[in-house]
Amino acid sequence: MPVPPKVSCLAPGALTRLDVAGCQATRRGPAESTALDLTAVRALETADRTHTLWTDADRAWASRAAAEVVGQGGSPQAFLAQRARLALARLGERFKAVPRAARTLRWRPWLGTVIVAAAFAAGVVIDRIGNSQGINVLTPPVLTLLAWNLAVYGLLAVRLTTGYGKEAPSGPLRQAVTRLAAGLLTPHAGGELGTVLARLASDWSRIAAPLYAARAARILHLAAALLAAGLLAGLYLRGMVFEYRASWQSTFLDAGQVHQLLGIALSPGTALTGIAVPAAGEIEAIRAPGGENAARWLHLMAATVAVVVIVPRLLLGLFAWLIERHRATNLPIALEDPYFQRLLRDFDGGPARVSVVPYSYTVPPTATAGLERLVARAFGAGAALTISPPVGYGGEDALPMVPASTSAASVIVLFNATATPEREAHGAFLTATAARFRPAGALLALVDESAFNARWGRGAARTEERRRAWRELCGQQQVPCAFADLAAAGADLTSAAAQLADAQTAIETALAEATR
């Protein structure tokens, strides 16, 4: 894929439309459903390394059809989104598992409503506080509800102070909500299709994890608020037709200690309603088996729950919702990713221009065919490939003219692996080439192992030793290096597909390194 020179998003006047789109994508990502479609298609096109499930013709069709739909004035984001939709539609006709997996991973919004409604219903149906219609002011669930929420606030405060600026790991409740709402994808297919599904699940889990964590937090905060609201609603509804009697009993506490404890626990309710906690004498009077009408206790408890639980939880839910909205439109899918750059170049920037300069190497026809296939895979089917006449050994000053342009043609220096890399010859040629063509475009070295493998076989030790020597030389010149058996890649055989895939990966990795 073509890799343009690095640009600054702070200088928009110098950017092309594709560069502007890339800068915008770093600030505002695609919508959630579109991001999932893009992730699914990218998983397919990167995991299907041999192009057997999704052929070169399929990939070219998806790009061509999407470009026709969005039109010449369409945005890069619209093109990518349309291409993903078209690809998934065609894939559904052949491999229903891929679009089905994408649907499985989508968030189920109805589950949040169910959880919140169930929490409110659970609060309403709690009809026993202490015994029957009696309220033991020292027992659950109200005081337990307060203690639980205060513990949650403490934990949130600790995470905020100790991990500020970092994404806190999700707790078990958030993880459970995420699993239920986002589904569990367990690939059952084997082979290449199973690899695609596993890649999709892994990629989307990584991309959507922050968003889903915020969404689960919002649901849990609302559920906690509604649980408390349901509890209070149930108490007041039953209090309309039954008389609650308040009392207490304890083995270890006396009335004075109970007064102090309740004065602290119910102080928010006292501040809100103006109803004071009864004095120690009054509390002693309602010690079991005594009691009194529980109305003032219910008001104190309800006000305290509202201040300590309902209002804070609603505020936390609002905060989580704001984070969720931000993350939903800022999913980490950027157009500067090499995969998207390859797709967008044909759409917005025209075919990629790739110039190959062989050094002391006359490229045989079999290797030329492999080079053409490799460039089509790595740079796009419409890539314009130019192979210059070979530069003779020691001809560092005889570089061919490769016209530079704003689209930044990529230059590949092609070496023969049978040659022993020499700093004075091969290294000097790389230095001269880098001086000529950088920073106008990407520059990398490609070492053809065809003749080396034909002479010495594919012995791992000998091959790795030669590769190490070439890597060392290229590293000294700060030029990324890739290796390929171009003769094997050019053979139109199924057995050569893995060779082609390995070479494509190596070139894409080298191109990514060239832009760092």
Side-chain angles (χ1 to χ4, degrees):
M1 68 201 71
V3 180
K6 286 193 171 181
V7 295
S8 171
C9 294
L10 300 178
L15 305 184
T16 65
R17 186 162 72 95
L18 180 57
D19 294 328
V20 170
C23 291
Q24 290 175 344
T26 63
R27 305 188 194 102
R28 184 181 66 255
E32 183 179 344
S33 59
T34 300
L36 180 53
D37 291 345
L38 291 173
T39 304
V41 176
R42 181 170 63 178
L44 171 71
E45 294 187 331
T46 55
D48 180 23
R49 300 172 67 244
T50 59
H51 294 213
T52 54
L53 300 177
W54 190 241
T55 65
D56 292 332
D58 291 324
R59 297 165 199 242
W61 167 84
S63 295
R64 184 175 61 254
E68 292 174 356
V69 171
V70 301
Q72 188 174 6
S75 68
Q77 293 93 329
F79 165 74
L80 291 174
Q82 184 63 41
R83 184 182 185 277
R85 285 191 291 269
L86 292 172
L88 286 177
R90 173 171 281 195
L91 279 167
E93 301 172 358
R94 306 178 191 172
F95 309 103
K96 297 185 182 299
V98 177
R100 185 187 303 124
R103 291 192 298 270
T104 299
L105 291 171
R106 294 186 191 277
W107 186 274
R108 299 168 177 80
W110 56 265
L111 189 65
T113 304
V114 170
I115 292 175
V116 171
F120 181 81
V124 170
V125 300
I126 298 176
D127 59 355
R128 298 180 65 86
I129 305 178
N131 283 318
S132 185
Q133 293 164 224
I135 296 179
N136 185 334
V137 295
L138 294 178
T139 57
V142 173
L143 294 184
T144 300
L145 186 67
L146 295 175
W148 168 52
N149 281 273
L150 289 174
V152 171
Y153 303 153
L155 180 59
L156 292 176
V158 170
R159 286 184 175 179
L160 181 63
T161 55
T162 60
Y164 182 75
K166 301 178 182 178
E167 182 66 27
S170 297
L173 286 179
R174 288 192 192 183
Q175 293 178 4
V177 171
T178 299
R179 290 193 190 99
L180 289 173
L184 293 173
L185 179 60
T186 303
H188 297 291
E192 298 255 3
L193 185 58
T195 303
V196 169
L197 297 181
R199 174 75 61 84
L200 170 57
S202 174
D203 289 351
W204 185 246
S205 175
R206 173 181 50 81
I207 291 170
L211 169 62
Y212 284 1
R215 189 168 288 162
R218 170 179 59 83
I219 292 173
L220 290 175
H221 286 312
L222 292 179
L226 269 292
L227 175 66
L231 173 61
L232 298 182
L235 285 174
Y236 277 99
L237 286 174
R238 285 185 290 274
M240 297 292 293
V241 294
F242 299 105
E243 181 188 17
Y244 281 115
R245 304 289 295 178
S247 64
W248 67 278
Q249 55 185 344
S250 173
T251 302
F252 302 105
L253 302 179
D254 58 28
Q257 293 170 321
V258 172
H259 171 76
Q260 293 178 346
L261 176 62
L262 294 179
I264 296 172
L266 301 179
S267 58
T270 297
L272 181 64
T273 63
I275 302 174
V277 174
E282 294 178 274
I283 291 179
E284 180 62 35
I286 65 170
R287 187 167 188 165
E292 67 174 7
N293 184 282
R296 62 174 173 178
W297 293 99
L298 287 179
H299 296 327
L300 276 172
M301 291 179 179
T304 300
V305 168
V307 172
V308 176
V309 180
I310 297 178
V311 172
R313 286 290 195 164
L314 290 177
L315 292 175
L316 287 170
L318 174 62
F319 182 65
W321 175 72
L322 293 174
I323 295 177
E324 176 190 347
R325 282 193 61 188
H326 172 74
R327 291 177 177 176
T329 55
N330 288 273
L331 289 167
I333 298 181
L335 294 186
E336 63 266 21
D337 181 273
Y339 166 79
F340 294 118
Q341 284 290 310
R342 184 181 66 215
L343 298 177
L344 289 173
R345 186 59 58 186
D346 286 341
F347 168 69
D348 195 68
R353 296 187 302 105
V354 183
S355 296
V356 176
V357 183
Y359 179 77
S360 186
Y361 179 34
T362 300
V363 186
T366 54
T368 300
L371 185 60
E372 292 172 348
R373 293 187 66 192
L374 182 57
V375 167
R377 288 279 184 94
F379 293 88
L385 172 64
T386 301
I387 303 178
S388 302
V391 176
Y393 182 84
E396 292 77 22
D397 298 327
L399 288 174
M401 294 300 298
V402 179
S405 71
T406 55
S407 62
S410 298
V411 177
I412 299 177
V413 178
L414 182 61
F415 294 116
N416 189 344
T418 57
T420 302
E422 301 175 8
R423 184 167 56 182
E424 294 77 10
H426 304 88
F429 182 69
L430 280 177
T431 300
T433 307
R436 169 75 67 85
F437 301 119
R438 281 178 174 172
L443 172 66
L444 65 96
L446 176 63
V447 181
D448 180 16
E449 299 177 328
S450 305
F452 185 88
N453 290 336
R455 178 182 300 179
W456 303 105
R458 301 180 184 276
R462 186 185 294 271
T463 300
E464 184 55 36
E465 180 181 355
R466 182 55 56 93
R467 287 183 176 183
R468 189 182 306 113
W470 280 106
R471 288 193 191 101
E472 182 179 353
L473 176 73
C474 294
Q476 292 171 352
Q477 311 304 319
Q478 297 182 341
V479 176
C481 183
F483 301 88
D485 186 331
L486 294 180
D492 190 15
L493 300 172
T494 303
S495 59
Q499 275 280 341
L500 190 61
D502 290 340
Q504 176 187 349
T505 301
I507 285 188
E508 291 177 352
T509 301
L511 285 171
E513 292 177 356
T515 60
R516 289 174 185 170

